[in-house]
Amino acid sequence: MKIVDARVVLTSPGRNFVTLRVETDEGVTGLGDATLNGRELAVVGYLRDHVVPLLLGTDPHRIEDTWQSLYRGAYWRRGPVTMAAIAAVDVALWDIKAKVAGLPLYQLLGGASRERVRTYGHASGRDLPELFDSIRARLAEGYPAIRVQTGVPGLERVYGVHHLSAGHGVTPDGARPVVEDWDTGAYLRSLPGVFDAVRQEFGPELVLLHDAHHRLTPIQAARLGKDLEPYDLFWLEDCTPAENQDGLRLVRRHTTTPLAIGEVFNTVFDYQTLVGEQLIDYVRSAVTHFGGVSPLRKLFDFAAQHQIKSAIHGPEDISPVGMAAAIHLDLAIHNFGIQEYAGHTALTHEVFPHAYTFTDGYLHPGEAPGLGIELDEELASAHPYEPAYLPINRLQDGTIHDW
C-alpha cells in the first residue's frame, strides 16, 4: 500500500478547521485535524508546501517512522505549527491502519479500558443568577462535571464568559483581534465568593473545575489555589504560564487544589519537570496540537508512572476529527481522567459526520472502523475560511497581558 494523494481542506462551518485527507492506492483514506486557532493558514502552508510532497509514495502503515521523519527531518523542531501538521498526518495514518484492520482505532491502542468517557462542560455567567442558569443547563444536558467561569466586577470582557468574552473574531475592520481586559486583584477577590455561592446552591457533590487561563504569577496562583481549597475543585487549570516550570513548585507547596496544565504544550519536553516532580495532576494537551495519537499516548504512559491522569483539551476549535481521535485514546488508556467537551455546531456535525456519541454526559467513539468520521467536502467548500483570531488581553492601564 502506498500514499498516492494528500490534500488539505480548509472550511469554516462556524469555526475554521484544517483537515488533511490522505489517500492510498487501495482506495483507503484517512483524516487528520491540523487546526490551529487564529493561525490556520500557517499550518495549511506548512502541510501543502512541505509535508504533503514528502508523503507521496510512502507506506501509510509506517506510522512511527513517518512521525520521526517529519519531526527530526525538518531540523527545526517543535512549535505549534509544526506539531499541528505532524498531528494531522499521524491521525490520518492511524485512521487508515484501523480501517484496513476493520477495527475502531481504540482496539489498535489496546482495546477499551472503560465502557464510556466522562466529560465536563462549560458554564458561565456575568453574575450569579446567570451562572446558576448556565450550570443548570449543563446539568440538564447530562454533564457530570462543570467548568465554572464568571464575570469579574469592573471588567467588561472576560475570558470564558459567553456574553462578556470576545471569544473568536476580529475588530470591525477585520484587521486585528478583539481586546479583552483584566484586573488580577479584582479576580482574586471575587472568585472564592463565586465558588462559595455555587456550593451553597448546588451542594458538595457536583464536580467543579475552573480555568485561570495563564493569567497569574506563581504566588498569585498559590493564593488562589489555597483560597479555593474549601470548595473541593476537581482542578484549577492553567493557574500560571507553565513555561516557567519552576513556578509550579511554589504553587504546589502552598495548595492541595489539584492542578491541570498543558493545552498550549506541543511535546513531552514541555512536561519533563512537571511530570517528573509530580507538580501537576492532569496533562491537558490535545491530539491536534501535540503531534497526534502516537506522542500523546507516550505522554500518558509517562504521566501514569507518576500517578498523573489525562485530560485532553477539547474546545470548539478542535475539529470533530481531532475530537474523535481523543475519544479513542480516552477509552483505551488506563490513566484517563476526564475529557473536555465543548461540542460543535449542528453545521459542523454535518460537515464532519461521525460515529462518536454524547449521551448523558459521556462520550463513546463508536464501533466504525478507523476514527469513525468522514468529511463532506462539498458542504465544506460551501463554507470557506474566514479570517478570525483569538482575543488579546490588556490590563486596565493598557499593558498587554496573558490571554
Side-chain angles (χ1 to χ4, degrees):
M1 181 180 284
K2 300 292 182 184
I3 295 173
V4 295
D5 191 24
R7 63 182 182 274
V8 183
V9 178
L10 180 58
T11 184
S12 185
R15 299 291 289 256
N16 292 319
F17 299 116
V18 181
T19 307
L20 178 68
R21 184 184 185 96
V22 177
E23 299 183 7
T24 71
D25 57 355
E26 297 184 14
V28 183
T29 63
L31 298 178
D33 180 21
T35 306
L36 185 63
N37 197 353
R39 296 295 185 270
E40 297 90 353
L41 298 183
V43 188
V44 170
Y46 194 101
L47 280 167
R48 285 178 177 168
D49 298 337
H50 303 291
V51 173
V52 166
L54 299 176
L55 297 177
L56 301 180
T58 63
D59 182 352
H61 286 303
R62 297 184 63 172
I63 298 175
E64 181 68 17
D65 182 67
T66 299
W67 194 97
Q68 296 294 344
S69 176
L70 293 175
Y71 181 80
R72 299 175 187 276
Y75 187 69
W76 311 107
R77 302 179 185 181
R78 307 168 68 184
V81 174
T82 295
M83 299 312 290
I86 294 176
V89 175
D90 183 81
V91 170
L93 297 189
W94 276 111
D95 192 18
I96 290 171
K97 184 178 284 289
K99 285 177 178 175
V100 171
L103 294 169
L105 175 58
Y106 76 84
Q107 293 288 14
L108 272 64
L109 301 176
S113 289
R114 56 198 47 81
E115 299 302 317
R116 54 184 183 164
V117 171
R118 179 173 62 162
T119 69
Y120 71 89
H122 297 174
S124 67
R126 290 169 290 192
D127 51 30
L128 289 177
E130 191 170 276
L131 174 61
F132 290 174
D133 286 345
S134 183
I135 293 173
R136 292 187 186 101
R138 299 292 82 73
L139 292 174
E141 292 167 354
Y143 282 103
I146 309 290
R147 190 191 78 169
V148 171
Q149 308 295 134
T150 186
V152 176
L155 301 185
E156 295 183 4
R157 294 183 183 270
V158 179
Y159 165 78
V161 181
H162 177 69
H163 298 294
L164 298 180
S165 175
H168 156 88
V170 294
T171 52
D173 62 2
R176 290 181 173 83
V178 174
V179 177
E180 295 181 359
D181 53 350
W182 188 246
D183 182 332
T184 301
Y187 167 74
L188 292 174
R189 289 190 297 271
S190 67
L191 193 65
V194 170
F195 276 93
D196 183 67
V198 170
R199 280 292 180 221
Q200 290 188 44
E201 180 72 16
F202 294 96
E205 295 182 358
L206 178 58
V207 177
L208 298 176
L209 309 87
H210 179 70
D211 186 359
H213 223 243
H214 321 280
R215 298 188 176 190
L216 307 177
T217 65
I219 195 66
Q220 291 167 344
R223 169 187 163 184
L224 180 61
K226 193 170 185 63
D227 287 348
L228 293 177
E229 284 177 11
Y231 310 112
D232 189 27
L233 267 64
F234 186 85
W235 76 40
L236 174 61
E237 180 183 350
D238 288 335
C239 60
T240 191
E243 296 96 325
N244 176 19
Q245 298 197 8
D246 289 344
L248 270 296
R249 294 190 182 106
L250 186 151
V251 180
R252 197 60 141 179
R253 283 197 300 269
H254 290 282
T255 181
T256 58
T257 296
L259 303 175
I261 291 255
E263 68 183 50
V264 299
F265 286 173
N266 307 128
T267 73
V268 69
F269 301 107
D270 298 312
Y271 282 105
Q272 282 183 308
T273 299
L274 300 179
V275 170
E277 297 187 20
Q278 294 183 248
L279 300 179
I280 58 175
D281 302 279
Y282 298 90
V283 292
R284 290 277 294 128
S285 293
V287 175
T288 302
H289 302 141
F290 202 75
V293 168
S294 299
L296 198 55
R297 176 60 186 267
K298 295 173 184 176
L299 170 66
F300 294 153
D301 288 343
F302 173 43
Q305 298 175 49
H306 301 273
Q307 298 177 294
I308 295 171
K309 295 185 177 182
S310 76
I312 297 176
H313 189 42
E316 293 173 317
D317 53 281
I318 298 294
S319 87
V321 177
M323 180 56 61
I327 300 167
H328 282 279
L329 265 173
D330 291 334
L331 198 71
I333 62 171
H334 178 259
N335 59 323
F336 169 75
I338 200 166
Q339 173 64 58
E340 180 180 24
Y341 184 62
H344 294 98
T345 66
L347 179 58
T348 299
H349 289 307
E350 291 181 34
V351 172
F352 297 94
H354 53 78
Y356 70 76
T357 56
F358 176 70
T359 306
D360 297 329
Y362 290 81
L363 289 161
H364 192 281
E367 300 299 332
L371 289 175
I373 193 159
E374 301 296 334
L375 171 63
D376 186 331
E377 293 196 50
E378 182 177 353
L379 183 56
S381 66
H383 301 279
Y385 167 79
E386 298 179 3
Y389 295 98
L390 291 172
I392 62 172
N393 202 36
R394 291 186 181 274
L395 302 179
Q396 292 186 312
D397 66 358
T399 304
I400 196 76
H401 192 59
D402 294 302
W403 188 82

